[in-house]
């Protein structure tokens, strides 16, 4: 039996903190770009950034919260879930506050896709770190 502290859930990624933050940001922009492209927007780059900024703000809030309260970088699923949760929650609140759409279907898709992106890389990295031990 493995020690729970060394499980894939809690194993931090072996990636620099700045790299992890950039990876989160890139994945959020990819989420927005794919969504905008599926709607046939006229300027997919600007439209993607317009869609991404509320979620990027939420991710930044999640990072700050984890760093302040846990005093660790959110590099594992166990410490990264607040980043995902605040990415979605703050993103949706900011979208609603600025008159952008927050249809139930969009909330569901954003929640699922951002979980796959933001928690997925942490899960994979934690699993790989556990295997390397």
């Amino acid at each position: 039996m493995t020690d729970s502290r060394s499980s894939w859930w809690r194993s931090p990624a072996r990636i620099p903190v700045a790299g992890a933050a950039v990876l989160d940001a890139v994945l959020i922009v990819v989420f927005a770009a794919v969504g905008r492209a599926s709607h046939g927007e006229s300027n997919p780059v600007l439209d993607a950034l317009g869609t991404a900024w509320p979620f990027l703000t939420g991710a930044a809030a999640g990072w700050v919260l984890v760093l302040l309260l846990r005093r660790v970088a959110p590099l594992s699923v166990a410490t990264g879930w607040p980043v995902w949760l605040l990415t979605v929650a703050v993103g949706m609140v900011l979208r609603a506050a600025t008159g952008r759409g927050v249809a139930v279907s969009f909330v569901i898709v954003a929640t699922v896709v951002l979980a796959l992106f933001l928690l997925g890389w942490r899960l994979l990295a934690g699993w790989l770190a556990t295997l390397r031990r």
Side-chain angles (χ1 to χ4, degrees):
M1 199 167 227
T2 54
D3 180 4
S4 64
R5 289 175 293 162
S6 65
S7 73
W8 51 267
W9 179 265
R10 296 191 187 283
S11 284
R14 291 186 170 192
I15 182 172
V17 173
V22 168
L23 181 56
D24 279 350
V26 166
L27 290 171
I28 290 166
V29 172
V30 167
F31 155 72
V34 169
R36 298 315 312 172
S38 70
H39 292 288
E41 301 295 325
S42 60
N43 190 337
V45 173
L46 288 178
D47 291 335
L49 292 175
T51 299
W53 78 263
F55 298 103
L56 291 168
T57 302
W63 269 82
V64 169
L65 181 74
V66 171
L67 288 168
L68 289 176
L69 295 181
R70 291 273 196 74
R71 304 223 185 272
V72 296
L75 301 180
S76 70
V77 175
T79 57
W81 69 264
V83 174
W84 161 66
L85 188 63
L86 284 173
T87 298
V88 174
V90 171
M92 292 303 170
V93 167
L94 288 174
R95 283 181 61 86
T98 57
R100 307 289 305 263
V102 287
V104 173
S105 59
F106 177 66
V107 173
I108 293 168
V109 168
T111 301
V112 171
V113 171
L114 289 170
L116 289 172
F117 281 8
L118 301 180
L119 299 178
W121 78 258
R122 288 171 169 88
L123 180 67
L124 180 60
W127 180 68
L128 290 172
T130 301
L131 284 178
R132 287 187 187 135
R133 288 186 201 148

